[in-house]
Amino acid sequence: MKYTLIKAIDVAGLNFLTPVVLLCYGEEPAKQLREIGRYIVLPLLAVAVAVGVWVLVAERIQTKSGKLPNPAQTWSAASAIWTFHLREEDKADAYLAEGSNRAQMLDETEARLAKLEAAAGIIESKLSSSQADASAAVDAKQSPAEARVAKATAEITRARSRREEALLRLAQKLPAGSPEGKEQLVGYVRAHEAKKQLEREELKALRDQLAAQQAGAKPEVERWTRLQSSVAEEQQYLAKKADLLAGANRAARLDREKAQLTEAEQELLAATGADALAAARRVERAEGRIASVAQSAYAQPATLPFQTKRSVLCVFCGFLLGSAIAIPIGILCGLSKTVMAMATPFIALLKPVSPIVWLPVALIIVSGFIPDPDKNPLVQKLWALPWMGDYKINPAFIASAITVALCSLWATMTNTALGVASVDKDHLNVARVLRLGFWDRLFKIVLPSALPLMFAGLRISLGVGWMVLIAAELLSSSEGIGKFVWDQFNNGASDSFAKMVVVVFEVGVVGLLLDRVMIVFQRLVSFDGAPAAI
């Protein structure tokens, strides 16, 4: 069991857990504790210090979008994102609910709405009371501060007027052609402007104090306002859910359409001549509506979990496309110096090209082949696939995947070429002695020997592809994490900044998981025993 665990940890690239397993089995406890302290405790302490620095820095960084979100605000934004996702999933289930389950869900929803209605009244009362108290407190604190600001403003204005009048009188008394007098006047003007700057800073400091007093007097109001907003959001969600369980429910819509079809069929039976033709058309339209409603689903907006899965799908499509191009060319380059010489100019020229350049080119080409996704047979087949169809692959998705492929394939190509070119000559000599053919040498000698370097290149390519994808989605407006960030940037809501910070961590976690996946594959197919990267 011990060796199985250690082997699993090694394959997953989680070697920092090995001392924990060995300590559990009692092997060299002192040594294992030192290793745990070095590889687990110290990193956790570093994280704790980083969080502390984050808290301190967040209070001091003020932007046009508000203060930098602290850890608590970021966690709250993450909770809001997840709550929104769960509620949208719940609405989708409500739309498809049928029979007794639907009735039970509707009863529960209406009961919860009734409770929230009562709670909203209490919160409204508490909020009004808090606002009145806060207003009184602000007035009490604000009046002296406002008086100080008004007094300072008046004094500064009078002093400034006196100085300007003195300057004007001095200028009027100066005779023409008096350099000393003109120079003296310029000096007075400089002193006047410097004094004005000091006065502006003095007034700004007083007004900041006044604003701080106003902001500090409202924590209770803000608490009740947040609670009121939370209750209002839940009421809105439940009202929509109740509607999806009642009149807008798919089963309810089907019942109405079937009733209209029955009515149209009865009219058709009783009609003759032109009336029969009109009734037949009504029957045909009713049958079409029934078929459409039967296949319909809730128009669910894209949530961050959905966009994350779509981004991962896109990066894997681009990664596989890039690997399919890079590995064969890399093998040819490694086997033949002539091919390597021919490929080198293209690698040197195209490798530094930015995704911002590749994406518009890819978008134009893909849009040329797929001008209308609704009428393209390939896109329609992709939409009809059981799992992939949910992600609605469109030209923006394909262009983003191509951009990922074009930007990420170079590491795989060069590492594959290097790995193939570095195969031990003794192994190739053995292959010649055994008279192995080209394909046997390739698959039994060359590729197994080159696998460590090939996987190192694949890991780099996947990491590059993940970074490139976010920028590509942001520019192409393809549904994904990049588009989520762009939407939040343009949203301007109070928690948009915090949601963007949430995405920073999400992108990092997903990138880490993708790297772990590549390590697992590398360990499963490689016998090099090289340590996994951190």
Side-chain angles (χ1 to χ4, degrees):
M1 184 64 183
K2 177 180 73 173
Y3 295 107
T4 303
L5 283 173
I6 292 175
K7 178 64 177 175
I9 288 171
D10 182 59
V11 170
L14 304 174
N15 300 85
F16 63 91
L17 294 176
T18 302
V20 178
V21 175
L22 294 177
L23 181 64
C24 292
Y25 281 93
E27 284 193 15
E28 301 179 286
K31 179 183 176 183
Q32 307 311 329
L33 286 173
R34 284 197 302 273
E35 296 294 305
I36 290 172
R38 180 180 300 166
Y39 295 111
I40 296 178
V41 176
L42 287 180
L44 289 177
L45 286 175
V47 171
V49 170
V51 172
V53 171
W54 181 9
V55 172
L56 294 175
V57 170
E59 292 298 322
R60 290 165 173 76
I61 296 181
Q62 179 70 41
T63 69
K64 291 181 179 178
S65 302
K67 284 185 178 179
L68 179 70
N70 58 33
Q73 291 166 335
T74 305
W75 179 258
S76 175
S79 301
I81 290 172
W82 185 245
T83 300
F84 177 71
H85 170 71
L86 293 180
R87 286 177 177 177
E88 290 303 319
E89 292 286 323
D90 201 25
K91 288 178 190 175
D93 293 340
Y95 179 74
L96 301 176
E98 297 178 357
S100 59
N101 183 38
R102 175 185 157 204
Q104 182 182 355
M105 290 175 68
L106 183 58
D107 291 341
E108 291 173 354
T109 303
E110 290 177 343
R112 178 64 182 163
L113 269 172
K115 287 183 180 178
L116 287 177
E117 187 69 26
I122 297 172
I123 292 171
E124 178 67 29
S125 172
K126 294 283 186 183
L127 178 60
S128 300
S129 174
S130 299
Q131 286 174 332
D133 294 343
S135 179
V138 167
D139 291 341
K141 290 182 179 178
Q142 195 171 331
S143 297
E146 284 182 335
R148 284 197 299 273
V149 172
K151 182 180 177 183
T153 304
E155 290 177 351
I156 288 172
T157 303
R158 287 195 296 272
R160 190 175 296 175
S161 299
R162 287 195 298 271
R163 291 199 303 271
E164 288 179 352
E165 290 171 0
L167 285 173
L168 182 60
R169 286 195 298 273
L170 180 62
Q172 290 171 344
K173 293 178 181 176
L174 279 177
S178 173
E180 295 79 8
K182 300 292 176 59
E183 187 175 349
Q184 186 181 21
L185 177 62
V186 172
Y188 287 144
V189 170
R190 289 198 191 102
H192 173 61
E193 293 299 325
K195 183 68 176 175
K196 283 171 65 178
Q197 180 63 30
L198 291 175
E199 290 167 347
R200 280 195 289 268
E201 292 176 358
E202 182 184 352
L203 279 178
K204 182 177 181 302
L206 288 173
R207 287 174 182 140
D208 289 344
Q209 289 178 4
L210 179 61
Q213 285 182 358
Q214 292 173 341
K218 300 178 180 176
E220 193 69 12
V221 175
E222 290 175 355
R223 188 170 75 85
W224 286 112
T225 302
R226 283 197 300 273
L227 193 55
Q228 186 185 46
S229 175
S230 174
V231 170
E233 287 178 3
E234 188 174 354
Q235 281 180 310
Q236 187 179 12
Y237 144 67
L238 290 174
K240 179 65 178 176
K241 181 180 175 182
D243 183 48
L244 290 171
L245 288 166
N249 181 266
R250 187 172 72 172
R253 292 176 61 195
L254 275 175
D255 292 340
R256 290 197 297 272
E257 295 296 340
K258 287 177 181 177
Q260 291 182 7
L261 176 62
T262 303
E263 184 180 345
E265 287 174 342
Q266 290 174 351
E267 290 177 0
L268 178 62
L269 285 176
T272 58
D275 292 340
L277 179 59
R281 285 176 175 157
R282 284 197 292 276
V283 169
E284 190 274 337
R285 286 196 293 271
E287 290 174 343
R289 288 197 299 274
I290 288 174
S292 175
V293 172
Q295 296 177 352
S296 65
Y298 171 63
Q300 187 174 355
T303 60
L304 184 58
F306 171 82
Q307 289 170 312
T308 303
K309 288 188 282 186
R310 196 172 190 270
S311 291
V312 172
L313 175 64
C314 186
V315 78
F316 268 109
C317 289
F319 172 70
L320 293 176
L321 177 62
S323 301
I325 297 170
I327 291 175
I329 296 176
I331 291 172
L332 291 175
C333 290
L335 291 174
S336 169
K337 292 183 179 178
T338 304
V339 177
M340 186 66 191
M342 294 170 62
T344 298
F346 296 99
I347 296 174
L349 181 68
L350 299 177
K351 186 179 177 182
V353 177
S354 164
I356 297 174
V357 178
W358 280 123
L359 181 66
V361 176
L363 268 176
I364 291 171
I365 294 174
V366 173
S367 300
F369 283 99
I370 309 175
D372 187 356
D374 294 329
K375 297 178 181 176
N376 186 276
L378 174 61
V379 174
Q380 292 301 314
K381 285 182 181 177
L382 291 174
W383 288 1
L385 292 176
W387 175 77
M388 191 174 284
D390 296 340
Y391 296 97
K392 291 293 178 186
I393 293 175
N394 54 14
F397 180 97
I398 298 172
S400 299
I402 291 174
T403 303
V404 168
L406 291 173
C407 292
S408 65
L409 62 85
W410 308 109
T412 301
M413 185 184 294
T414 52
N415 274 43
T416 302
L418 180 62
V420 171
S422 304
V423 175
D424 195 332
K425 300 301 178 187
D426 291 339
H427 295 169
L428 296 176
N429 290 334
V430 171
R432 290 193 189 94
V433 170
L434 295 175
R435 298 179 182 278
L436 295 180
F438 173 78
W439 296 110
D440 283 337
R441 274 188 292 154
L442 180 64
F443 287 105
K444 294 180 180 177
I445 304 294
V446 175
L447 289 183
S449 300
L451 274 179
L453 277 173
M454 287 175 61
F455 265 94
L458 288 169
R459 282 181 60 194
I460 296 171
S461 293
L462 189 56
V464 171
W466 181 240
M467 289 189 290
V468 166
L469 176 72
I470 306 303
E473 288 177 338
L474 192 147
L475 293 172
S476 66
S477 294
S478 175
E479 284 293 350
I481 295 177
K483 185 173 183 298
F484 179 86
V485 173
W486 186 244
D487 289 344
Q488 294 302 321
F489 179 76
N490 291 307
N491 189 350
S494 58
D495 61 347
S496 293
F497 199 2
K499 287 180 179 177
M500 286 190 278
V501 177
V502 172
V503 172
V504 170
F505 290 100
E506 190 199 23
V507 170
V509 170
V510 175
L512 178 65
L513 292 176
L514 293 177
D515 190 61
R516 297 295 103 173
V517 169
M518 289 305 299
I519 288 175
V520 171
F521 278 115
Q522 180 179 5
R523 292 304 179 90
L524 289 176
V525 302
S526 174
F527 301 96
D528 64 315
I534 295 174

